[in-house]
Amino acid sequence: MTSWVLRNAVVVNEGQTIEADVAIHAGRIERIGTGTTKPGAREIDLGGAWLLPGMIDDQVHFREPGFEHKADIATESRAAIAGGTTSYLEMPNCVPQTVTPEALLDKHTRATGRSLANFGFYFGATNDNLEAIKAVDVTKACGVKVFMGASTGNMLVDDPDTLDGIFASCPLVIATHCEDTPTILDNEAKARAEFGDAVPIEKHPEIRSEEACYKSSSFAVGLAKRHGSRLHVLHLTTAREMDLFEPGPISGKRITAEACVHHLFFNDSWYGPLGNDLKCNPAVKTRADQLALRHAVVEDRIDVIATDHAPHTREEKASPYVDAPAGLPLVQHALLSLVEHVKAREFTIEQVVQKTAHAPATLFEIAERGYVREGYWADLTVVDPDAHTVVDEEPVHAKCGWTPFRGFTFRSRITHTFVNGHLAFGDGEVQDVAMGKPLEYARS
């Protein structure tokens, strides 16, 4: 494997920004310092660009198996590394669903030798697999995903005894999608009574409403407090929900919260320009909700930022609102969109690194990744904060071939991505070598 010396980097790590050279050998970070030399190593002068730990995206849907016409592990991991994401945790709502040990093992087999980024997989909960959850292999699953609201894949868990059992006995982090299905169905019926089959996209945040979100997320938090569970609430969208979570460092928290890049970047004023391309569950909501999420990132109520990357084809998205599937392709532009908040002085780059790398590594107990540390795997992303990325001039690497960020120019550029010490992306080119490894977990 090639050894590297990355010169003149601005290393952003663990709340600090330092100027240093970074040496990589045998896939790992060998030395962080100045004046580093290594005979035979290839050198790259980063010219003062930011060197970050690669993003660990704790919520993606790569659609394999069962929906390979939309996406697959190879294509979406390609998009991920082009966007500076070096590891991902993938969701169970595929076909067959990842709700048995055999299906979990099959996911690992599919990713091995095909994924360009490192990979982990959730075990899925259903109303009737509680015993399988109790016995889940904690070396193979990153966590257990519970859909406490209907979404893509028909995996709604709404049996009170099953939910109580999961929160009482799950050996891993419980990651929840929280929307109250009866509330959504009632809102949808009202919209259909008014508009028939021509419900406009602008009604989406009213159908997948604040009340639907809060009713479910508060229920999940209540269950977790009762049982002392490790709960991680995914893709929060409302100001009201922020009061459910404590501010402060992630260390020691039993209940943690996540926001996604699109809920931070967009608000309901974008439904007009983007139409169904902005349809996702939970819905993008108001400007006030968007600002509350951003504030919660700063005060550490929001612990993790992820994508919920969930691609659909152009043809599927072109359907009328009531038929169009929910979900957006996001991994390629996620980190760039977060740097926009840095440019606007809403976040610091240190906060972005904390939420996208350090925190997910801590939360899921991922071993030797998520930090720029000597001895750790060299999963690194280089961002030039003085360059630009014109989205429409770049290839879209996701199989679906589109992005909700069309027409946008980001005020930064990802120049290099290293996965396990391998230069997976550089100078605008993806190196199609599947160097991704299964994530390992430092669990007792």
Side-chain angles (χ1 to χ4, degrees):
M1 181 175 286
T2 303
S3 295
W4 298 90
V5 175
L6 309 180
R7 295 206 177 280
N8 299 315
V10 174
V11 179
V12 185
N13 186 60
E14 300 185 72
Q16 296 183 328
T17 302
I18 64 169
E19 296 180 6
D21 304 330
V22 175
I24 300 169
H25 177 66
R28 294 179 180 266
I29 299 168
E30 185 174 68
R31 185 175 185 275
I32 304 166
T34 56
T36 297
T37 61
K38 187 167 184 62
R42 294 180 63 184
E43 296 192 3
I44 302 175
D45 188 341
L46 300 185
W50 292 333
L51 181 65
L52 320 177
M55 183 171 178
I56 301 173
D57 192 343
D58 81 347
Q59 187 184 184
V60 303
H61 302 262
F62 283 0
R63 303 301 193 202
E64 184 180 346
F67 301 101
E68 286 90 343
H69 69 286
K70 303 176 192 275
D72 60 54
I73 288 170
T75 60
E76 306 316 285
S77 65
R78 194 174 200 271
I81 64 160
T85 291
T86 55
S87 300
Y88 60 85
L89 305 180
E90 207 266 347
M91 287 295 169
N93 52 331
C94 45
V95 178
Q97 297 165 348
T98 316
V99 297
T100 65
E102 295 77 15
L104 182 61
L105 180 60
D106 178 64
K107 281 279 192 76
H108 279 269
T109 300
R110 288 171 176 273
T112 300
R114 292 179 57 232
S115 180
L116 278 66
N118 305 309
F119 50 89
F121 298 103
Y122 287 90
F123 194 78
T126 69
N127 277 327
D128 56 7
N129 76 335
L130 178 57
E131 294 307 311
I133 290 170
K134 293 178 181 178
V136 66
D137 185 343
V138 298
T139 70
K140 294 294 185 185
C142 59
V144 171
K145 174 64 180 291
V146 182
F147 286 91
M148 295 178 67
S151 190
T152 305
N154 193 29
M155 290 181 67
L156 174 64
V157 181
D158 57 359
D159 180 84
D161 291 337
T162 299
L163 285 171
D164 204 61
I166 292 170
F167 278 78
S169 57
C170 182
L172 294 172
V173 174
I174 302 165
T176 56
H177 176 136
C178 287
E179 292 182 284
D180 182 64
T181 297
T183 301
I184 293 168
L185 293 176
D186 183 58
N187 291 339
E188 184 178 16
K190 291 175 181 176
R192 283 181 176 271
E194 181 177 358
F195 296 101
D197 290 337
V199 177
I201 181 64
E202 287 81 3
K203 291 294 179 181
H204 189 55
E206 297 177 25
I207 293 172
R208 319 282 302 206
S209 64
E210 174 196 82
E211 179 61 28
C213 293
Y214 186 83
K215 188 172 183 179
S216 182
S217 55
S218 60
F219 179 50
V221 169
L223 280 172
K225 287 182 176 179
R226 186 195 318 161
H227 292 290
S229 317
R230 273 296 296 109
L231 170 66
H232 184 54
V233 184
L234 302 166
H235 47 41
L236 290 153
T237 60
T238 73
R240 186 181 178 191
E241 289 171 292
M242 295 303 98
D243 289 339
L244 296 170
F245 305 94
E246 296 296 326
I250 191 172
S251 58
K253 286 186 179 180
R254 301 289 292 174
I255 299 172
T256 51
E258 176 196 287
C260 285
V261 294
H262 49 303
H263 296 120
L264 295 167
F265 193 88
F266 298 108
N267 58 52
D268 58 1
S269 69
W270 288 83
Y271 283 111
L274 293 179
N276 289 341
D277 287 357
L278 196 57
K279 184 180 179 182
C280 57
N281 299 335
V284 169
K285 294 186 174 66
T286 68
R287 173 69 170 165
D289 291 312
Q290 178 191 39
L291 293 177
L293 292 175
R294 293 177 183 175
H295 182 65
V297 168
V298 173
E299 64 176 0
D300 291 330
R301 289 183 193 272
I302 294 293
D303 301 287
V304 173
I305 300 176
T307 67
D308 196 17
H309 175 87
H312 299 282
T313 67
R314 266 263 153 259
E315 293 74 19
E316 290 166 333
K317 279 292 192 177
S319 301
Y321 162 73
V322 294
D323 299 318
L328 292 67
L330 292 158
V331 290
Q332 186 171 339
H333 301 104
L335 193 55
L336 292 174
S337 78
L338 292 174
V339 175
E340 287 300 301
H341 298 294
V342 176
K343 294 284 187 177
R345 300 181 183 274
E346 295 162 341
F347 306 155
T348 66
I349 189 59
E350 293 86 356
Q351 287 169 330
V352 169
V353 167
Q354 170 64 28
K355 306 299 181 184
T356 61
H358 303 339
T362 297
L363 173 59
F364 294 95
E365 301 172 287
I366 297 170
E368 300 181 316
R369 302 187 191 276
Y371 295 85
V372 184
R373 289 177 178 170
E374 292 179 357
Y376 271 46
W377 289 104
D379 296 339
L380 302 169
T381 299
V382 180
V383 178
D384 185 342
D386 298 319
H388 288 73
T389 302
V390 181
V391 173
D392 291 352
E393 294 179 359
E394 304 281 330
V396 174
H397 294 288
K399 183 181 280 190
C400 67
W402 63 275
T403 170
F405 295 107
R406 64 179 183 268
F408 200 81
T409 297
F410 292 111
R411 292 171 289 175
S412 62
R413 187 171 187 83
I414 294 166
T415 61
H416 303 82
T417 304
F418 288 85
V419 178
N420 300 310
H422 167 71
L423 181 59
F425 176 79
D427 298 322
E429 298 292 328
V430 176
Q431 303 300 314
D432 285 311
V433 180
M435 296 296 291
K437 295 179 179 290
L439 293 173
E440 296 181 348
Y441 307 99
R443 294 169 177 156
S444 57

